[in-house]
Amino acid sequence: MTQQIRGMFVCLLLLSTIVGCGKTTPEATTTPQSNQGRTTSQSQTAPQDGWKEIAGQGVTLSLPANYEGGNPSTDIDEITQKLKAIAPSYAQGMEVIKQNPEAIALLAFDPQSGKSGFLTNVNITKEDVPQDVTVEQYLKAASQQIANQYKVLEQKVVPLDQYQAGRIMAEAKAGEITIKQLFYAVKNDTKFWLVMYSTTSAEFDQRLPNFEQSIRTFKVSQ
């Protein structure tokens, strides 16, 4: 089980980095905009006004209205074009996903963060596990296996309404930029849904409240 968790978790971390990395004209770090006053429609699960629900393959997640994304299995061309509009280098990262788009249940990103040199993004994958694997076991194995490649800042079990979940906060280098990644392993029957939020370390504290609100909107489709 440990080796399987290591492979899935490290691939997820790398995916977030690949999608986020890009080359743009250096500018000041983008400050996340306020969510008040937005006019987009809000789903029933959205935590506040101005958020929208993004549907993936078997899951939904709410994010601030400026985020773009969807299900790579069906929306990969549209997602790629939106990334290309930010900078061609971001779209290049999609070539890895195009090789196996079904492996990613949901991919979303904040276009407004593009000029920081790293595109704030969230992606979701899933992994089948034996019924008796607990959140604690999964979390411990994942943290131990990535410790040599990432600096693990936090590891704990957290309640998410109807789901059990583990949470890991990790830090890594993406080129010349230090990024922070917030990872949730959400157990649902014999599956773990792996949700990864990634942004620059400079923006992380500002974006953390949104990440923590967003994960509480996570839903497995019936």
Side-chain angles (χ1 to χ4, degrees):
M1 181 189 72
T2 299
Q3 186 66 29
Q4 183 181 23
I5 290 173
R6 178 187 183 277
M8 177 65 71
F9 188 75
V10 171
C11 286
L12 184 60
L13 288 168
L14 292 175
L15 171 64
S16 298
T17 303
I18 289 170
V19 173
C21 287
K23 295 180 181 179
T24 59
T25 303
E27 293 190 14
T29 299
T30 302
T31 301
Q33 295 185 357
S34 169
N35 296 315
Q36 296 180 356
R38 299 190 188 277
T39 59
T40 57
S41 60
Q42 176 186 3
S43 71
Q44 292 180 350
T45 59
Q48 59 190 33
D49 291 340
W51 284 45
K52 67 181 179 184
E53 185 178 79
I54 296 178
Q57 185 178 18
V59 291
T60 59
L61 189 74
S62 290
L63 290 159
N66 54 289
Y67 275 70
E68 301 285 357
N71 177 2
S73 294
T74 56
D75 307 326
I76 193 163
D77 290 337
E78 181 180 355
I79 293 171
T80 300
Q81 287 303 312
K82 290 179 178 178
L83 286 168
K84 188 176 181 179
I86 302 170
S89 55
Y90 290 121
Q92 291 171 7
M94 292 298 291
E95 294 303 316
V96 176
I97 298 176
K98 286 181 179 180
Q99 296 175 16
N100 186 18
E102 293 80 12
I104 312 301
L106 185 148
L107 173 64
F109 53 90
D110 178 5
Q112 297 174 357
S113 67
K115 292 180 180 179
S116 69
F118 184 87
L119 193 65
T120 296
N121 69 90
V122 54
N123 61 75
I124 301 176
T125 64
K126 65 180 177 180
E127 180 178 14
D128 293 321
V129 296
Q131 181 70 50
D132 60 351
V133 175
T134 66
V135 171
E136 291 84 357
Q137 290 173 329
Y138 195 98
L139 200 62
K140 181 179 180 180
S143 295
Q144 290 176 342
Q145 292 300 323
I146 68 166
N148 292 332
Q149 298 166 285
Y150 296 85
K151 182 179 180 181
V152 178
L153 305 175
E154 176 185 287
Q155 170 196 326
K156 64 181 180 180
V157 176
V158 294
L160 291 180
D161 299 327
Q162 71 266 43
Y163 302 112
Q164 291 181 311
R167 163 172 155 154
I168 294 174
M169 188 184 300
E171 189 173 65
K173 292 288 289 186
E176 298 180 354
I177 300 174
T178 302
I179 62 170
K180 278 189 179 181
Q181 298 174 305
L182 186 63
F183 166 87
Y184 288 90
V186 184
K187 188 173 185 181
N188 181 242
D189 296 328
T190 59
K191 290 182 175 61
F192 270 94
W193 291 89
L194 314 177
V195 185
M196 173 67 73
Y197 299 88
S198 301
T199 191
T200 65
S201 291
E203 294 188 27
F204 185 82
D205 288 344
Q206 295 172 334
R207 292 183 179 273
L208 180 58
N210 278 354
F211 294 162
E212 292 176 330
Q213 289 185 26
S214 172
I215 191 61
R216 295 193 176 278
T217 70
F218 171 86
K219 291 176 64 177
V220 178
S221 304
Q222 299 299 322

